[in-house]
Amino acid sequence: MMDGEAEGSVSADSGRKRRVHGMLKLYYGLNEEGKAPEQPESLDPCDINGPHFDPELYLNKLRRECSLAELMDQETCMVKQIRSLDSDMQTLVYENYNKFISATDTIRKMKNDFKKMEDEMDCLSTNMAAITEFSARISGTLQDQHVQITKLSGVHTLLRKLQFLFELPARLNKCLELQAYAQAVSSHRRARCVLQQYSHLPSFKGIQDDCHAIMDKLAQELRQKFRDGGSSAKDLSECVELLLQLDEPAEELCDKFLSHARSRLESDLQGLEAEIRPTASAVKDALAASTQKQLSGAAAGSPTDSSPKTSALPSPSSKTDILEFIDRGCNEFVSSLCLVITSYQELFINHAQTGELASKNIPQMANGKLHTFVDDLATRYFSLVERRIQEEKGVGDNSLLVRALDRFHRRLQAVAKLLPGSAVPNQGTEIVIRAAMERVKQYLTALQSFYMDSLTDVRQALATPRLSVASASVAGGGAHLGGAASGRDAPNSLPELLSSLSASILNQIKSVLASVHLFTAKDITFSNKPYFKGEFCSQGVRESLVVSFIKFVCQSSRQFCESAGDKGGSTPPALLLLLSRLCLDYETSTISYILTLTDEQFLVQHHSPVTPVTTLCAEAREAAQKLLNHYVKVQGLIISQMLRKSVETRDWVNTIEPRNVRAVMKRVVEDTTSIDVQVGLLYEEGVRKAHSSDSSKRTFSVYSSSRQQARYAASYTPSAPMDTNLLSNIHKLFSERIDIFSSVEFNKVSVMTGIIKISLKTFLECVRLRTFGRYGLQQIQVDCHYLQMYLWRFVSDENLVHFLLDEIVGSSAHRCLDPAPMEQSVIEVICERG
Amino acid sequence: NRLKMEDDAPVIYGLEFQARALTAQTAETDAIRFLVGTQSLKFDNQIHIIDFDDENNIINKNVLLHQAGEIWHIGASPADKAVLTTCYNKTSDSRVVSCAAVWRMPSDWDTGNHESPDDSAHNPQTLELLCHLDDSAHGNAACVLWEPMGDGKRVISLADNHALLWDLQESSTQATVSSTATLEGKGQLKFTSGKWSPHHNCSQLATANDTAIRGWDLRTMSQIYCIENAHGQLVRDLDFNPNRQYYLASCGDDCKVKFWDVRNVQEPVKTLEEHSHWVWSVRYNHSHDQLVLTASSDSRLILSNMVSISSEPFGHLVDDDELSEGEDNHQDDKSKEPLKDSVVSTYEEHEDSVYAAEWSSADPWLFASLSYDGRLVINRVPRALKYRILL
């Protein structure tokens, strides 16, 4: 509290002082440091501090406005203020008085001192006059001697110069001996002009000739040294510098320098080439074999899996791997090249820019030469690098290549810095781009062959009904670790094959994407090039790799339909079914999944138009449809073939009374059932029309199906009774035309309907080409009844089966020489017994 | 049985029996006339002579009895309107044998019919047998082929695995085998169909057996080419392009129609896959070989316009002005399109398998098709196409 109060009073005190000063200044008409008063002067006559203060008005105002107590307070306050103002004024007066006294003292003292100084100055001026007089006298005496000395010293200098000239040849020789070339050149330079100037004098001429001879020798020696090339870069540049000073033509020197550098760089290049060379002839076969091995290795195991690397990965085409190769290229060739560029620029460009050489356009000339030189060598280097990159065919491990390319690209940036405007770095980038594109192509090929291999495996798996654990995992592409475990307990069923196939393809795609993704990794120098940000992602990876692969899957699937179409099935039907389901799955989910994955991984910004997902899906669906249709056709034909043979090879006129259902019909039913099971494994049930209660117990009228008898019932109508109800049914059915080989839907019922349609239509057409005896007709009745008992359950509309079987029985009745149909009850007994 | 239809609409005629055999009366070039053979095991079989009155759109029929058996194939002589051949099944002693014979129609089948139209149905006249083309050693006859544009004195019959070349003498009352060719190989080989080529002086024959098509030189009776696996399934029929000597069309149970250049038997020149069941017949139009007719057991008849492999691949140049002057102004857009192979029309008038289709020999724009239920349909090439081909 005390402190606070003290502080407060101090600040209040200082504030008051300032105010007091201000008022005094005001009084004396001074502005604070010449500044205009900050606040406009108050014109209020009641402002006690203002210049227009009117005491009368103020008093009146106070009296009017304030109470007595307030007046009393006001008065006390004012008295206090007046008292303090008084004391302030006294202090000021006192201070000023003191200063005035001390100033008077000082002035008095100064007066004394000046007097003393005046005396001394007088003394000094007399002394100076005496000195001047003496000096004049001395210089008068020494005048003559001075001229002589000057002359002598001139002669001395000349003599020394002459001596230098006379000694020059010897000196130069000495330098030559000591190999102090720099000294020799600088000495010669100094003398050159003089010798040139006085060369008409025989003695000087002699010296000059001697010097020339020596200097020529020296130049010769320098050139020799330059040519030898054994010397270090520093020596070399010294040589060049000296030769330039010796007026050697710069162009020639540039050429020589560069050709010298070239020979060294070329030896680097040859070293590199030697590493590629082995591929040329002998290793070719080995390469082919190994590539194949490598591909199959890549196919068998996921490339990210490190275990098979040891056998498959090392590319035997070269002694060194690509990274080592590029490393060597960078460390030897590129760094030497940079060194050459630096020293060349130092010598011929930067150096010459300042000296007299600049005027001769030497920097431009030298720069031009350098560019052609670098371009030339870089082209050769690039062609070597490209050759080496082309040997990288194994797709096992991409990181090595990417790292190599990165290093290659990174090191070229040094050249870019040294040689702005050179095309070399761009060419380098183009090589990287080409390599990347090539890589994408290789991955596409690898994916394609992986897919075809997988299909071969599936084919084998389908061919051998009982599968060992090993082949199950092969079919799974090995990338699928669960394959071995799951293959243990169950034989490979279609759904398992399908899921393992699609999983292994997906895995393969993912690993390929991961490999390709390395090209765009952040720490890779070229990944921020516009190509790798845009086109590589969209056109390269998305279109050329992923989209192309999906299209390939669809197309190759379609090929199974076309190639196998005529020969009736080199492709197992189960494979067709499996592939159709695969394509359908692609349509519903896989394609969009893969593309989303790609787009996410590569952050593709599509500048150019890309294939939309819908197009691919449509293509996949079309392929799935085609495959399924073809499956129906192939299976239908297999059953048709059995039926056809069974009808064609029998003598239906002279057959015995039927006692059994023919074995072929049982076979047809068995096969149909197993097809039903097979399709059911991959496709949903689908809808069918409601069954009638007696689906399996329908009777056929042998006369019912002859439509023309109803339509053109003329004079030849047989007098047999007709089931009119059935006839009307048939007419209704027939109003919707039955297409036999038609497109089916993606469900089991539709597929089965298609197959049964094809089979029964064949049966019908074959029956129409034969002639039947009584028992022949009865056998057909029995067979058709049997088919009816079992086939109705497979189709979407049992009326279809009824209709076709009706037609068959009807047609055979028509083609019968002695149409005496069998009793329905007998037929049923025979069928149930069978 | 007389039907009056609108112009361009199909004309339908119903037979009482099932039928497979159809031919145009080849030697008749004035009247539009087709011959149909019936198939019945219980009743006497018939040959229906179908006359089409183009102006009135009316069908006139005459019936002749063919008592020998059910008719599987019929062929009309190119020289004599009244002469025809049939292949038929004869049943005796519970054996069914396929035979072939040359027949003559009675000379007054025509006149009798006009006087009393209803009579013919009840008292039909009978075909006169000229001679049998049977050689018991050579098995069942599948078809008989007349020498195209010949003098009606040479026929070829295909029986099982033999091709027999017959000379008809004494007004076709005597037939002698002049040479034979035999198909040899594993299993029971059997010709299913064949065609006598109108080219090369009629010295070539093409046959179908199973999935293969073979060419034969009739002078030496030796095979000259073979298209193995021409179709995935059985080959049902063949036809020669009347204007391009190496071109051949085939059809079969793989639902396809294929066009071949017999100089290259590896690949078909063109394949059509428009039918949804077996294709039983393929026929080139006699004058405009871009028009191809196919019949199938999917109950459909398809007319295709195969411009690209026809003898007029570029068609006629169509002048726009000329066309717009014509009556079919609304067809303008179509005629401007480049000529492409296309299906001209699909005919759905049949309700059962169509086993035969034939062009008329008198009117190149008219054709008949026959389905198993005995329905004969007469159709015309659509006018727009006709004018485009002609103009």
Side-chain angles (χ1 to χ4, degrees), chain A residues 346-529:
Chain A
E346 192 57 39
L347 289 175
F348 295 107
I349 298 170
N350 301 345
H351 193 69
Q353 229 134 33
T354 50
E356 76 232 67
L357 296 167
S359 56
K360 299 183 197 162
N361 274 346
I362 282 177
Q364 283 91 324
M365 181 276 299
N367 209 11
K369 277 192 190 301
L370 181 63
H371 272 279
T372 33
F373 169 78
V374 172
D375 285 350
D376 184 29
L377 281 171
T379 311
R380 291 184 48 195
Y381 172 60
F382 288 156
S383 80
L384 286 177
V385 170
E386 276 201 287
R387 266 173 64 192
R388 182 63 185 84
I389 289 172
Q390 274 162 17
E391 282 175 25
E392 284 301 297
K393 291 220 164 59
V395 288
D397 184 10
N398 199 36
S399 64
L400 207 63
L401 176 72
V402 173
R403 265 160 60 206
L405 287 174
D406 177 41
R407 200 155 302 179
F408 167 74
H409 189 261
R410 200 185 294 271
R411 290 298 284 264
L412 283 180
Q413 302 315 304
V415 179
K417 252 175 236 158
L418 288 172
L419 260 189
S422 167
V424 170
N426 283 338
Q427 284 168 3
T429 311
E430 270 161 32
I431 285 178
V432 174
I433 288 173
R434 275 201 292 277
M437 287 198 294
E438 188 55 37
R439 205 63 177 166
V440 166
K441 256 187 234 161
Q442 285 168 0
Y443 274 116
L444 177 62
T445 322
L447 270 181
Q448 288 172 349
S449 66
F450 173 81
Y451 176 71
M452 295 318 279
D453 289 349
S454 304
L455 287 193
T456 313
D457 293 339
V458 170
R459 210 185 265 255
Q460 275 168 5
L462 288 172
T464 49
R466 298 243 168 242
L467 280 154
S468 64
V469 173
S471 58
S473 70
V474 166
H480 181 71
L481 286 170
S486 68
R488 182 189 49 201
D489 46 2
N492 246 352
S493 65
L494 274 179
E496 278 169 33
L497 278 174
L498 175 68
S499 66
S500 76
L501 174 67
S502 86
S504 70
I505 293 172
L506 204 58
N507 271 344
Q508 196 70 14
I509 289 176
K510 280 181 186 167
S511 72
V512 162
L513 281 180
S515 296
V516 176
H517 195 250
L518 292 174
F519 279 107
T520 59
K522 279 211 173 62
D523 56 338
I524 302 294
T525 45
F526 52 75
S527 68
N528 60 4
K529 294 274 171 198

Side-chain angles (χ1 to χ4, degrees), chain A residues 567 644 734 741 765 815, chain B residues 70 229 253 276 351 353 355:
Chain A
K567 299 297 286 174
R644 182 198 284 243
F734 215 75
F741 289 96
E765 291 294 341
R815 306 265 339 125
Chain B
E70 53 170 8
N229 292 311
D253 288 0
S276 69
E351 293 182 357
S353 303
Y355 294 130

Side-chain angles (χ1 to χ4, degrees), chain B residues 216-250:
Chain B
W216 304 86
D217 189 331
L218 296 173
R219 293 165 299 190
T220 58
M221 287 312 250
S222 57
Q223 185 177 308
I224 42 181
Y225 57 83
C226 177
I227 308 172
E228 300 277 6
N229 292 311
H231 286 265
Q233 309 281 312
L234 196 73
V235 181
R236 291 276 171 195
D237 196 19
L238 301 168
D239 198 19
F240 279 99
N241 185 318
N243 300 321
R244 303 187 76 184
Q245 56 181 343
Y246 298 110
Y247 277 68
L248 175 69
S250 66

Side-chain angles (χ1 to χ4, degrees), chain A residues 11-128:
Chain A
S11 71
D13 191 50
S14 70
R16 208 190 60 203
K17 228 174 197 167
R18 210 175 298 129
R19 205 178 65 230
V20 170
H21 273 286
M23 282 195 299
L24 284 171
K25 276 179 184 159
L26 201 67
Y27 181 77
Y28 290 110
L30 286 170
N31 282 337
E32 235 176 318
E33 291 161 35
K35 275 185 200 160
E38 280 168 6
Q39 282 175 335
E41 286 168 358
S42 172
L43 295 170
D44 187 1
C46 296
D47 182 1
I48 200 161
N49 295 327
H52 302 281
F53 179 65
D54 187 339
E56 279 309 314
L57 272 174
Y58 183 69
L59 270 179
N60 285 342
K61 192 180 171 212
L62 278 183
R63 250 178 304 194
R64 227 179 12 248
E65 288 172 359
C66 302
S67 63
L68 183 64
E70 279 172 336
L71 279 176
M72 292 294 283
D73 285 350
Q74 191 79 30
E75 198 226 340
T76 346
C77 173
M78 211 171 271
V79 167
K80 219 187 249 171
Q81 282 182 2
I82 288 167
R83 207 172 287 152
S84 80
L85 275 174
D86 248 357
S87 75
D88 281 346
M89 195 150 41
Q90 279 177 20
T91 320
L92 278 173
V93 168
Y94 180 74
E95 275 174 7
N96 283 345
Y97 179 76
N98 268 354
K99 280 177 190 162
F100 181 74
I101 299 291
S102 70
T104 319
D105 286 352
T106 313
I107 288 167
R108 191 177 300 138
K109 201 174 167 206
M110 274 170 72
K111 240 181 203 163
N112 287 341
D113 288 353
F114 270 108
K115 194 154 216 165
K116 215 177 187 177
M117 237 151 69
E118 217 165 70
D119 293 345
E120 280 172 6
M121 281 307 286
D122 284 343
C123 178
L124 189 66
S125 69
T126 39
N127 283 351
M128 279 310 290

Side-chain angles (χ1 to χ4, degrees), chain B residues 133 153-155 165-169 174-179:
Chain B
L133 296 174
K153 291 203 170 136
R154 294 215 298 168
V155 291
L165 179 59
W166 301 81
D167 279 332
L168 301 178
Q169 287 138 353
Q174 266 196 339
T176 49
V177 175
S178 65
S179 54

